């Protein structure tokens, strides 16, 4: 029989956030979390904790975070691209196209197929001075990840979604995986 943990007031919610590290553990594998609150922003967190498979939970969190970022920036052109050049490059008279994304090997025709959270949350100072941007800490569902996973997610630029999810899953081996991909990409550039 599954035990239930119900969060239905502000005091329980604060205690809940402090114990997230514990709730992710195998000790709570048979616990079903339930939210009885009007704060709908917490439902994805509860849903994530109720997904007991680690990789499935990481994938769910990743997709929810991407959806929040995408809906926040829908119909916005923060980098103010004109003729392939971002506002910072036009302002500083840099003759390069595609802004920061020009460094990514996965970019095609100016579009990003990678759904990378680190990339989605990176904006240069020119853009940040001009616009309100969403920050990593604004995406509450990311609290369900471990501190190491959050660090990996913040640092895993120019990687495909499947690689980032695997990096989050493999945890302490992620830096080796990231360095391997980076080195492989640099060698590929040198051989061109």
């Amino acid at each position: 029989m599954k035990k239930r943990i119900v969060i239905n007031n502000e005091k329980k919610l604060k205690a809940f956030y402090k114990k997230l590290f514990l709730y992710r553990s195998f000790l709570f594998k048979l616990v079903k979390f339930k939210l009885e609150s009007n704060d709908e922003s917490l439902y994805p967190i509860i849903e994530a904790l109720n997904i007991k498979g680690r990789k499935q939970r990481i994938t769910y969190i990743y997709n929810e975070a991407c959806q929040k970022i995408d809906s926040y920036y829908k119909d916005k052109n923060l980098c103010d691209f004109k003729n392939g050049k971002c506002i910072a490059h036009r302002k500083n008279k840099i003759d390069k196209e595609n802004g920061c994304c020009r460094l990514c090997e996965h970019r095609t025709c100016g579009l990003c197929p990678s759904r990378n959270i680190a990339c989605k949350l990176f904006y240069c100072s020119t853009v940040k001075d001009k616009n309100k941007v969403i920050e990593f800490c604004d995406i509450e569902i990311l609290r369900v990840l471990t501190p190491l996973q959050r660090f990996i997610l913040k640092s895993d630029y120019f990687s495909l979604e499947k690689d980032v999810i695997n990096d989050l899953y493999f945890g302490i081996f992620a830096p080796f995986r990231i360095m391997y991909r980076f080195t492989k990409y640099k060698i590929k550039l040198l051989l061109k």
Side-chain angles (χ1 to χ4, degrees):
M1 183 173 175
K2 285 190 174 188
K3 185 177 171 15
R4 298 178 101 196
I5 293 180
V6 178
I7 294 118
N8 55 10
N9 62 45
E10 190 69 31
K11 188 176 176 184
K12 279 189 177 182
L13 183 61
K14 286 182 182 177
F16 171 77
Y17 276 134
K18 289 179 183 174
K19 294 178 184 173
L20 266 177
F21 73 95
L22 185 61
Y23 292 152
R24 285 186 304 264
S25 74
F26 70 93
L27 299 171
F28 285 81
K29 197 133 183 111
L30 298 176
V31 173
K32 173 89 170 148
F33 294 89
K34 185 174 182 195
L35 180 67
E36 291 179 357
S37 169
N38 293 333
D39 188 354
E40 291 186 19
S41 67
L42 299 174
Y43 283 105
I45 294 171
I46 299 301
E47 183 65 32
L49 289 171
N50 284 328
I51 298 171
K52 302 307 178 182
R54 192 163 158 255
K55 192 157 191 179
Q56 290 83 11
R57 181 173 52 242
I58 289 168
T59 303
Y60 174 80
I61 292 166
Y62 194 92
N63 288 331
E64 285 292 315
C66 278
Q67 184 179 349
K68 178 164 182 162
I69 296 165
D70 290 344
S71 66
Y72 183 82
Y73 290 125
K74 187 179 181 189
D75 301 326
K76 294 179 184 169
N77 181 10
L78 295 181
C79 295
D80 192 19
F81 279 101
K82 291 180 182 162
N83 298 323
K85 290 188 178 186
C86 69
I87 189 171
H89 285 184
R90 287 194 319 270
K91 180 180 169 186
N92 297 316
K93 295 179 176 44
I94 298 171
D95 193 29
K96 297 195 189 250
E97 291 187 359
N98 298 313
C100 307
C101 300
R102 74 184 186 284
L103 303 171
C104 182
E105 69 177 314
H106 305 294
R107 181 188 44 76
T108 56
C109 300
L111 301 173
C112 178
S114 70
R115 287 189 76 220
N116 185 305
I117 290 177
C119 295
K120 285 176 178 283
L121 293 176
F122 177 80
Y123 287 98
C124 69
S125 58
T126 305
V127 170
K128 285 183 179 178
D129 290 344
K130 207 175 163 192
N131 303 284
K132 170 142 178 40
V133 296
I134 192 169
E135 300 285 339
F136 196 84
C137 60
D138 296 331
I139 306 168
E140 290 197 19
I141 195 160
L142 297 178
R143 290 183 182 189
V144 180
L145 297 174
T146 66
L148 175 62
Q149 288 171 327
R150 288 192 299 266
F151 176 77
I152 291 166
L153 194 59
K154 285 180 189 178
S155 315
D156 209 346
Y157 292 98
F158 308 129
S159 297
L160 294 172
E161 175 184 6
K162 67 180 175 71
D163 290 326
V164 177
I165 289 172
N166 282 331
D167 291 342
L168 295 172
Y169 182 73
F170 292 120
I172 60 171
F173 298 107
F176 301 109
R177 291 173 44 83
I178 294 167
M179 285 305 298
Y180 170 75
R181 286 193 307 270
F182 177 75
T183 305
K184 189 170 105 180
Y185 174 61
K186 285 297 187 184
I187 291 170
K188 190 172 150 184
L189 284 178
L190 288 172
L191 295 176
K192 280 186 173 183

